Amino acid sequence: MAKLPTYQQDHQTIIFKNSAREIQLTIITPEIIRVYENHSESGTSYAIEGDKQKPTDYRIIQKPDHYEISTSALTIKMDAAMHLDAYDSNNHPLIIDYRGSRTPLDRGIDEEHKKFVQEEGHNVPGADDQNNPHYFQVVKDLAADEQIYGLGDKTGYMNKRGYEYDDWNTDNPAPHLENFTRLYKSIPVIIGLKAGHPYGLFFDNPYRSHFDFGKENPDYYFYSAEDGNLNYYLIGGKTLKAVVTNYTYLTGRTPLPQKWTLGYQQSRWGYSASQKMVQGIVDKMQQSDLPFDAIHLDIDYMQGYRVFTWDDAAYAGNPKKFVTNLKNQGKKIVAIIDPGVKKDPGYKIYDQGIQNDYFVKDLQGKVYVNQVWPGDAVFPDFGRTAVQDWWGKNDQFLTDMGVAGIWNDMNEPASFQGEIPQDIVFSDHGRPSTHKKMHNVYGHNMAKATYEGVKRATGRRPFVITRAAYSGTQKYSTVWTGDNHSIWPHLQLLIPQLCNLGMSGFTFAGTDIGGFGSDTTPELLTRWIEAAIFSPLLRNHSAMGTRAQEPWAFGEPTLSIYRKFLKLRYRFIPYLYDLFARESKNGLPLMRPLVLNDENDPRVRNINDQYMVGDSVLVAPIVQPSQRKRLVYLPAGKWLDFWNHQEYDGQQDIVVDAPLDKLPLFIKKETILPWGPEVNQISETPDTTMTFNVYGDSGSYHHYQDNGLDFKYQQGEFNDYLINVDQDQVSVKLVHQGFQPVYQHVTVNLKNQSITLDYHSDTEDYK
Ligand code: GLC
């Protein structure tokens, strides 16, 4: 029998050695175990900040042919060949090393024919480059009944099984369809269900990497990387929710946003070229009785695309006055900032960066130049604290103007003159490294710099939007899925994309509503605003040169339907904000696939055209042209049609009508939901009343309230209301009181009556 490796224990780390390898297992918590093998790379994480290790009891037992390392939740078995197998506490297999050899996909083509086929523009992928001396792979068993979710906003479907993907942040404006392997973000976490047993696997390595989920061979899935250390986390948890909670414990959770950021936002590349155009949009939104909170300024507001400048002349010489005016009316401006700094001696930002040596350089020590919107541009070296601080301070140029949010784009980083060479010197936590290593975390570091800068300057919860991201960026920024198109497949895609982002820790996310590239149609725009109405980030954005797609662009009935849904969104904002307050503690996404709530129901494991908002709101949008009815699968429980309160049993498919102005929407019976007032923007003046709707006859609900702006809630300045309903008995309790004023009246709408309770300050309760 082959000899087992030797091992040595150092607190919660066990180091296994044989003649060829040294593999460390570190117990982070009972449900998180890290697997690590040093490949001579500095291993400081960008995703994980601070010490996440908790004192955890574990034991190690030697069996004849393997070791067993167990915590209360996970058992890892290691054999003589150093295979690693993870089981849950009931000995169900979760993550098992594949024992066979890989059988690379035979595409039936030789090199000569490959060239021939490529001449017409076809893509013939090559095998992964296993001859690269730094290459490594991790191959795991794939069970017949196994689903794989996560990986951020990759294309395709909820379940990634049968597909392959790459992590190499990429700006490719062609339509992102299911055969696209890479997009703007690298979020190397998978959340799996193996024969119904949940697990997570997080590969924390920023180098270019590849995932194949049983495409090459249905018996295994694999991860491979071009370089870096073997560094992954085995994540357990009794439920899928617990796995997501554990993963977000490790990499962080989306902090509570400012409340207004949940409002509707209107954008288009081109608007910001003049004050007149932006004002025109504001006026038209108001005249059309359309609720909104922000207008986004794309690159045109700057002087010749120079970041941290403003084309004053196009803003009547005084952009600050314009922004302040809007602000006084309760409307916010969000402005774009790209990383590329125009190469332009005499321009302050360029000069400062050159003087202080803040830009990335080639191996000869020359500042590296590529092209983006401003033409020749140079790139800040965000892997250094000094550069992050400098960038963050520059954001003050915008916050001083009254700009309320910063949108970071092109931070893959995108470059128009070919990809930045791999050996360009980028810093890694302050030490010289390469573009090859730092590429996938460039956007992360930029978003972090922006978040910190805005926080220092304003004291408010920063509103940052980023296109490129890495695992952990959710702590600093909301994201959008980049340049989609006005095509039906992209309306369909938003459900798996946003749900998988949510499973990967990114709850604050959205798509360009109506589609960015290509020309939208009235029906597509209508179905898009319906389908996206619960997406946490709610922004309509489009490319210059495409057909206009503001809510009024097609007249009636599009405008009225669009308005109806925006009004519905604002009614739901107190619910969405409650979910954010919970999410910041447990990491569970607002918008989520049905499987996250009901993993034991095999029917929901592959649903791509329905989603949940929290635990009890089910959304089944129409995502096909001309469709006026659809099949809806209702999971276990009883459900009420939101529009007419008709009751349905769960665990069945029903056919529902969906004329153009209807979004099929169901509420789980015995649910209480807050119901905001009808408003056209989110006010900074605290609400003094709140309404709750009861779906069914009873229920209980926690509702959160604070000032919606800053960090005072962290010192306890918030209220937690507990609403209980049992038939017609209604009670409202202030479980935590730290924010003033509390609601003076609370109205609860029951099936056949409405009950209003008033606050009595002497007894501090509602009667
Ligand atoms: C990129 C962004 C898009 C933006 C455009 C101009 O394509 O993804 O949202 O409008 O650049 O800045």
Side-chain angles (χ1 to χ4, degrees):
M1 200 185 295
K3 238 177 91 201
L4 287 178
T6 61
Y7 76 89
Q8 213 183 312
Q9 276 167 282
D10 178 8
H11 300 92
Q12 289 180 202
T13 295
I14 313 144
I15 304 159
F16 293 93
K17 257 189 217 172
N18 65 15
S19 54
R21 302 180 71 179
E22 178 178 314
I23 292 183
Q24 299 181 12
L25 292 190
T26 300
I27 318 289
I28 309 290
T29 72
E31 296 184 332
I32 306 177
I33 297 178
R34 179 195 197 204
V35 180
Y36 180 77
E37 181 179 45
N38 192 291
H39 297 173
S40 324
E41 264 292 328
S42 101
T44 317
S45 177
Y46 283 90
I48 304 170
E49 293 179 41
D51 183 8
K52 294 294 171 181
Q53 196 171 46
K54 291 182 183 166
T56 303
D57 287 332
Y58 73 97
R59 52 180 197 170
I60 170 160
I61 302 175
Q62 185 168 349
K63 298 273 169 134
D65 62 349
H66 68 271
Y67 294 110
E68 276 182 26
I69 305 95
S70 307
T71 66
S72 56
L74 288 173
T75 293
I76 311 292
K77 298 183 188 173
M78 176 181 276
D79 69 10
M82 291 181 127
H83 290 120
L84 279 175
D85 300 326
Y87 297 82
D88 70 12
S89 58
N90 295 316
N91 214 25
H92 293 124
L94 300 178
I95 304 163
I96 306 293
D97 268 342
Y98 183 68
R99 278 12 185 216
S101 322
R102 273 181 52 200
T103 48
L105 199 71
D106 179 7
R107 292 195 162 91
I109 196 164
D110 56 27
E111 285 307 311
E112 190 189 330
H113 285 89
K114 197 164 154 180
K115 278 197 205 105
F116 181 64
V117 172
Q118 280 166 338
E119 256 166 35
E120 205 199 343
H122 299 284
N123 174 30
V124 185
D128 37 349
D129 181 14
Q130 301 192 29
N131 298 324
N132 153 15
H134 302 288
Y135 174 94
F136 67 94
Q137 61 182 11
V138 176
V139 190
K140 305 282 184 190
D141 270 353
L142 188 57
D145 174 15
E146 185 158 358
Q147 296 79 32
I148 292 177
Y149 312 108
L151 234 63
D153 56 0
K154 295 286 195 244
T155 59
Y157 301 94
M158 224 20 249
N159 180 3
K160 298 298 175 202
R161 193 182 171 112
Y163 287 86
E164 62 178 330
Y165 297 98
D166 290 296
D167 269 349
W168 182 254
N169 293 354
T170 301
D171 172 26
N172 182 346
H176 310 146
L177 298 170
E178 69 185 82
N179 57 350
F180 241 64
T181 62
R182 51 195 158 104
L183 287 174
Y184 312 89
K185 303 175 187 64
S186 291
I187 306 172
V189 61
I190 66 174
I191 307 287
L193 262 187
K194 196 183 196 74
H197 303 294
Y199 67 85
L201 197 48
F202 169 45
F203 295 93
D204 191 9
N205 174 18
Y207 280 98
R208 184 178 183 132
S209 41
H210 183 76
F211 292 86
D212 180 305
F213 299 115
K215 175 176 178 177
E216 178 174 284
N217 183 323
D219 294 338
Y220 59 77
Y221 62 94
F222 74 88
Y223 160 87
S224 66
E226 275 192 356
D227 209 332
N229 299 322
L230 174 77
N231 182 27
Y232 66 91
Y233 293 79
L234 305 163
I235 305 174
K238 285 208 156 45
T239 57
L240 273 183
K241 284 181 175 172
V243 173
V244 174
T245 295
N246 284 331
Y247 170 70
T248 54
Y249 163 75
L250 198 62
T251 59
R253 295 176 181 140
T254 303
L256 194 62
Q258 290 187 59
K259 199 171 175 189
W260 69 263
T261 64
L262 304 182
Y264 179 69
Q265 319 193 13
Q266 184 62 46
S267 182
R268 177 169 168 85
W269 179 7
Y271 284 164
S272 70
S274 77
Q275 168 171 327
K276 197 164 155 240
M277 260 191 277
V278 182
Q279 186 64 52
I281 298 299
V282 170
D283 293 346
K284 194 81 181 155
M285 289 293 295
Q286 280 165 336
Q287 287 154 14
S288 312
D289 185 25
L290 290 161
F292 77 107
D293 272 85
I295 304 283
H296 287 229
L297 305 189
D298 206 320
I299 49 176
D300 331 272
Y301 77 92
M302 302 177 214
Q303 293 171 13
Y305 308 125
R306 288 171 186 82
V307 290
F308 307 117
T309 67
W310 203 301
D311 182 0
D312 294 347
Y315 284 75
N318 195 346
K320 183 169 185 172
K321 188 170 161 205
F322 176 66
V323 178
T324 310
N325 255 336
L326 286 182
K327 206 166 139 188
N328 293 339
Q329 299 164 45
K331 302 298 183 191
K332 314 285 197 287
I333 288 290
V334 174
I336 199 169
I337 288 290
D338 291 347
V341 171
K342 187 177 175 72
K343 183 182 171 196
D344 179 22
Y347 156 43
K348 195 172 104 192
I349 303 297
Y350 175 77
D351 289 349
Q352 282 177 2
I354 292 290
Q355 274 153 25
N356 295 297
D357 196 19
Y358 286 157
F359 301 125
V360 299
K361 293 180 175 169
D362 64 18
L363 284 172
Q364 285 70 47
K366 249 181 69 204
V367 171
Y368 174 75
V369 182
N370 202 311
Q371 288 200 342
V372 256
W373 304 121
D376 279 355
V378 296
F379 300 84
D381 186 13
F382 287 121
R384 284 189 268 153
T385 317
V387 179
Q388 288 196 15
D389 287 348
W390 170 64
W391 196 260
K393 279 194 195 106
N394 283 322
D395 283 314
Q396 219 174 321
F397 167 76
L398 293 171
T399 54
D400 283 352
M401 291 266 193
V403 167
I406 295 182
W407 165 22
N408 285 169
D409 187 26
M410 307 293 277
N411 49 357
E412 292 69 35
S415 48
F416 297 162
Q417 299 291 92
E419 205 165 85
I420 300 178
Q422 304 239 320
D423 61 1
I424 295 300
V425 182
F426 281 60
S427 299
D428 174 8
H429 290 294
R431 285 181 305 270
S433 180
T434 55
H435 175 238
K436 181 182 176 196
K437 178 168 187 190
M438 298 307 293
H439 179 83
N440 282 342
V441 291
Y442 192 78
H444 172 89
N445 285 335
M446 181 186 186
K448 181 175 177 182
T450 308
Y451 178 93
E452 302 291 358
V454 172
K455 185 172 177 183
R456 275 193 305 269
T458 65
R460 292 204 167 178
R461 306 171 201 166
F463 182 47
V464 181
I465 306 175
T466 183
R467 193 171 71 175
Y470 184 69
S471 288
T473 311
Q474 69 268 17
K475 298 186 285 283
Y476 303 111
S477 183
T478 174
V479 295
W480 95 108
T481 58
D483 296 349
N484 57 6
H485 282 256
S486 302
I487 54 176
W488 289 89
H490 277 180
L491 168 58
Q492 292 150 17
L493 181 61
L494 84 84
I495 300 172
Q497 270 191 318
L498 297 182
C499 287
N500 269 325
L501 274 168
M503 294 288 273
S504 316
F506 286 74
T507 192
F508 204 169
T511 57
D512 282 350
I513 290 167
F516 175 77
S518 310
D519 299 323
T520 200
T521 67
E523 188 184 0
L524 181 60
L525 180 64
T526 305
R527 291 309 196 181
W528 210 309
I529 192 66
E530 292 175 4
I533 204 65
F534 292 100
S535 68
L537 178 67
L538 190 70
R539 181 181 77 157
N540 174 327
H541 179 55
S542 57
M544 202 185 249
T546 60
R547 180 191 273 175
Q549 59 184 44
E550 293 77 26
W552 54 84
F554 299 101
E556 293 296 351
T558 314
L559 173 59
S560 295
I561 303 175
Y562 207 103
R563 180 189 303 115
K564 166 177 158 182
F565 283 94
L566 292 189
K567 299 237 172 203
L568 181 76
R569 163 74 173 214
Y570 279 70
R571 296 286 200 166
F572 271 99
I573 281 176
Y575 177 54
L576 298 181
Y577 195 61
D578 283 345
L579 289 174
F580 263 111
R582 269 176 248 164
E583 182 283 340
S584 61
K585 299 206 178 69
N586 63 22
L588 298 180
L590 278 68
M591 192 171 159
R592 56 177 80 159
L594 276 66
V595 68
L596 185 60
N597 291 345
D598 279 282
E599 68 206 48
N600 293 324
D601 180 352
R603 274 295 312 275
V604 302
R605 293 180 186 157
N606 290 304
I607 290 185
N608 296 292
D609 61 354
Q610 297 181 202
Y611 66 88
M612 302 291 305
V613 187
D615 281 330
S616 45
V617 176
L618 185 148
V619 190
I622 299 293
V623 293
Q624 301 282 349
S626 309
Q627 199 176 8
R628 297 292 182 267
K629 272 182 195 300
R630 67 160 287 176
L631 215 53
V632 177
Y633 180 73
L634 298 172
K638 288 195 187 310
W639 297 86
L640 299 175
D641 183 313
F642 172 81
W643 303 104
N644 62 14
H645 286 236
Q646 189 180 333
E647 189 173 322
Y648 295 94
D649 286 330
Q651 290 191 294
Q652 64 160 334
D653 294 285
I654 59 168
V655 176
V656 296
D657 284 327
L660 191 59
D661 66 346
K662 187 177 158 201
L663 168 70
L665 193 58
F666 297 85
I667 314 289
K668 201 166 199 174
K669 198 177 170 192
E670 317 303 14
T671 292
I672 302 176
L673 292 179
W675 185 242
E678 190 193 328
V679 289
N680 277 357
Q681 68 196 27
I682 295 164
S683 167
E684 288 185 12
T685 314
D687 291 325
T688 54
T689 65
M690 187 52 70
T691 299
F692 295 88
N693 289 339
V694 184
Y695 296 85
D697 312 302
S698 60
S700 138
Y701 184 80
H702 276 279
H703 170 65
Y704 177 87
Q705 181 196 25
D706 67 9
N707 69 16
L709 297 173
D710 55 28
F711 290 91
K712 291 195 187 116
Y713 72 97
Q714 292 178 345
Q715 273 73 56
E717 283 195 29
F718 66 90
N719 297 330
D720 175 5
Y721 301 85
L722 175 61
I723 294 86
N724 270 306
V725 174
D726 186 4
Q727 305 298 332
D728 51 10
Q729 297 299 308
V730 173
S731 78
V732 176
K733 286 201 182 74
L734 257 171
V735 189
H736 175 93
Q737 187 191 331
F739 175 72
Q740 286 293 347
V742 301
Y743 297 138
Q744 297 304 298
H745 313 284
V746 170
T747 299
V748 178
N749 293 323
L750 305 168
K751 207 186 291 169
N752 299 315
Q753 58 171 323
S754 185
I755 295 177
T756 296
L757 302 180
D758 302 320
Y759 182 67
H760 292 262
S761 52
D762 44 346
T763 47
E764 295 189 340
D765 63 359
Y766 289 84
K767 279 191 263 233

